[in-house]
Amino acid sequence: MRIFSIKKYARYAIFIVASLLGYGWAQPGNAAAEKLVLTGASTIAPLAAEIARRFELQHPGMRIDVQTGGSSRGINDTRNGTAGIGMVSRALKPAERDLQAHTIALDGVGLILHASNRVSGLSRQQVIDIYTGKIVNWKTLGGRDAPITAINKAEGRSTLELFLGYLKLKNSDIKPHVIIGDNAQGIKTVAGNPNAIGYVSIGAAEYEARHGTPIKLLPLDGIAATVANVRNGTFPLSRPLNLVTRTEPEGLARDFIAFARSEQVHDLVEAQYFVPIGFR
Amino acid sequence: MIWLRHNILSPLASVDTLTLWLLRGAAGAAMGVVMLILLFLAMESWPALRHISIERFLTDPSWNPGENLYNLAPMLSGTLYAAAGALLLATPLGIASALFIAYYASPHAASTYRHLVELLAGIPSVVYGFWGLTTLVPLINQLHPPGASLLAGILVLTLMILPTVALTAYAALLAVPDEYMIGAAALGLSRWGMIRGVALPAAKTGIAAGVILAAGRAIGETMALLMVTGNVVQNPSSLFEPIRTLAANIALEMPYAMDDHRAALFVSGLTLMVLVMSLWSVAARLARNGDG
């Protein structure tokens, strides 16, 4: 009993010392309860949580706490020190240059059509006209004589924001025929409707098309929607997924960011249909 | 004699008291849970209700939380249209199934058919939704694009609530005392005459309870409708136009909603709760009038 309580006090003492010393006390393998807090983009949070779980397995005694709340919360919490690392699902704005961004993955969004649709490419203006209801028949675009079914994403999804940003539209300008939640539902809807057009994560669409789902990814402004073009930055509808820090990361934060950018987590990145950053 | 009285009366009386209090406790707990749900919904909705007036939820030009527009009215009507349509189809079909099992089918056919209906009740709603998305929606699309529509929602919902109506109606018919039927047979009534004149009136309350139960399920059903109705927020002008229900709205937008948007989704949930509760109170009043 006595030995037990001494152990407990020892653990408290280690914890207090560790807290006082802060992040500088990183020693992998040590049983001290060290904690790193991540807050921000809900797009990144599931991936970050997976990476954190694997990181904790390799570094016993470390606790990584992942909370969502949006990219702007990630920026704020990092600035005021509430979070060690912020998650921001876009490139940093000029006003945010005081922070350091560490890209852990890329996310690309591609337009998909049914595989039987004869239309083989669309310009940005044509996409705008389809989604605002100015073009309502595939015949106008060189396809079959059939009405277009425009599929939009639900309010609040980051894919929607990226898409609207690319088209420079407001969501209330869009006249959709179907609104979907996740990528899988969008792909199923297009696969079941030869006259539908939708936009989903490129990774998810490539995976489904390779496994026989009758959909095809559309080149945008002449650039093929492929994971490769997202990785080399030429595809117009893509964005970086960033971990941001206030200063040059050190200690646990540095280790975690290095781990999240390493090849060891590429399978996790791909499982979420994001594009891993390139090898060097 | 004395030990008998001792054994039977006093212990049983105490068991009765105990059961009474246990049941009172359980009922109280159930009521408490409902109250807590209401309180929770109200608390989570409060950030939105504080600076968005109630009438804005009915009069805003559209539902675009990203642009601070919060009109719930089209979703309220969408929910009601889908549920009413499904009830309209499922009630006669369900009662007919129950009559078939109870009075027309041979014992073997009756038990097979009943097991089939029970199986239908056990299928998870996503399976119905997935079937709707991959089979029903493309079919309707050939008839009238885009396929994802109020009609698809009504058909999927009908399938889902049909077993509820059929099985409760069957149980209600089973509970009609044999003497009634024997008496009716002795009067020389035909089989249909017995059903219409005796069985259905006697089972009326039970059947109505089943329909109300089905209505509750139809209003609250989420995943299947999310997958087949298209989810466009609008007042449908035909059966082929997409709609969004209140429950689907929450499932669709909750994972990515923050601040006012999130609170507005709780307002959507609160509306759903109030809708179900008011339907129940109407149903309870109807049942009371029917009895009296």
Side-chain angles (χ1 to χ4, degrees), chain B residues 139-205:
Chain B
L139 266 177
I140 297 177
N141 181 45
Q142 285 171 12
L143 216 66
H144 193 297
S149 56
L150 175 58
L151 179 63
I154 289 177
L155 292 179
V156 167
L157 260 189
T158 302
L159 263 185
M160 297 182 66
I161 63 173
L162 181 65
T164 312
V165 178
L167 293 174
T168 47
Y170 174 67
L173 289 173
L174 216 58
V176 175
D178 282 343
E179 292 81 11
Y180 288 20
M181 302 308 284
I182 294 167
L187 286 174
L189 289 178
S190 66
R191 188 180 294 196
W192 174 242
M194 278 159 62
I195 290 168
R196 209 185 57 145
V198 179
L200 281 180
K204 192 179 63 180
T205 319

Side-chain angles (χ1 to χ4, degrees), chain A residues 42-43 69-70 147 149 154-158 170-173 176-181 185 188-189 192-195, chain B residues 63-67 130 133-134 138 141 145-146 148 226-227 230-233 242 244 251-253 255-256 258 261:
Chain A
S42 55
T43 316
T149 300
E155 189 92 20
R157 303 260 169 171
S158 33
K170 279 189 308 181
N171 198 23
S172 50
D173 298 332
H177 302 102
V178 174
I179 294 175
I180 53 149
Q185 198 191 355
K188 288 282 179 308
T189 307
N193 183 342
N195 303 311
Chain B
W63 170 264
N64 282 108
E67 293 160 36
F130 194 71
L133 182 60
T134 54
N141 181 45
L226 173 70
M227 290 163 95
N231 301 313
V232 179
V233 185
R244 185 188 294 187
L252 197 62
E253 300 193 354
Y256 296 89
M258 286 174 287
H261 183 189

Side-chain angles (χ1 to χ4, degrees), chain A residues 174-230:
Chain A
I174 288 187
K175 306 274 175 285
H177 302 102
V178 174
I179 294 175
I180 53 149
D182 56 14
N183 289 322
Q185 198 191 355
I187 291 168
K188 288 282 179 308
T189 307
V190 174
N193 183 342
N195 303 311
I197 178 168
Y199 55 94
V200 296
S201 158
I202 289 179
E206 269 192 353
Y207 176 87
E208 288 287 338
R210 230 182 296 131
H211 287 75
T213 309
I215 55 163
K216 62 176 180 187
L217 274 159
L218 217 53
L220 212 53
D221 293 329
I223 300 159
T226 59
V227 165
N229 280 345
V230 172

Side-chain angles (χ1 to χ4, degrees), chain B residues 79-92:
Chain B
T79 309
L80 289 175
Y81 284 142
L87 280 178
L88 223 53
L89 288 180
T91 307

Side-chain angles (χ1 to χ4, degrees), chain B residues 64-139:
Chain B
N64 282 108
E67 293 160 36
N68 210 14
L69 299 171
Y70 298 101
N71 190 357
L72 284 172
M75 291 183 260
L76 196 61
S77 66
T79 309
L80 289 175
Y81 284 142
L87 280 178
L88 223 53
L89 288 180
T91 307
L93 281 175
I95 294 175
S97 307
L99 289 175
F100 174 74
I101 302 173
Y103 301 118
Y104 286 92
S106 67
H108 181 68
S111 97
T112 313
Y113 189 84
R114 196 165 54 88
H115 286 343
L116 271 177
V117 175
E118 280 165 2
L119 194 70
L120 213 57
I123 296 174
S125 63
V126 262
V127 176
Y128 284 107
F130 194 71
W131 170 79
L133 182 60
T134 54
T135 311
L136 188 63
V137 166
L139 266 177

Side-chain angles (χ1 to χ4, degrees), chain A residues 103-124:
Chain A
T103 304
I104 57 167
L106 301 167
D107 184 19
V109 173
L111 283 158
I112 54 170
L113 302 180
H114 193 272
S116 72
N117 198 320
R118 285 207 302 269
V119 175
S120 57
L122 290 172
S123 68
R124 201 181 130 232

Side-chain angles (χ1 to χ4, degrees), chain A residues 4 9 18 23 26 62 98 102 106 124 130 139 177 182-184 205 209 226 232 256 258-259 269:
Chain A
F4 194 76
Y9 283 125
Y23 294 139
M62 311 234 165
D98 54 319
H102 314 271
L106 301 167
R124 201 181 130 232
I130 290 173
K139 207 169 57 176
H177 302 102
D182 56 14
N183 289 322
T226 59
N232 67 29
F256 181 74
F259 183 74
V269 173

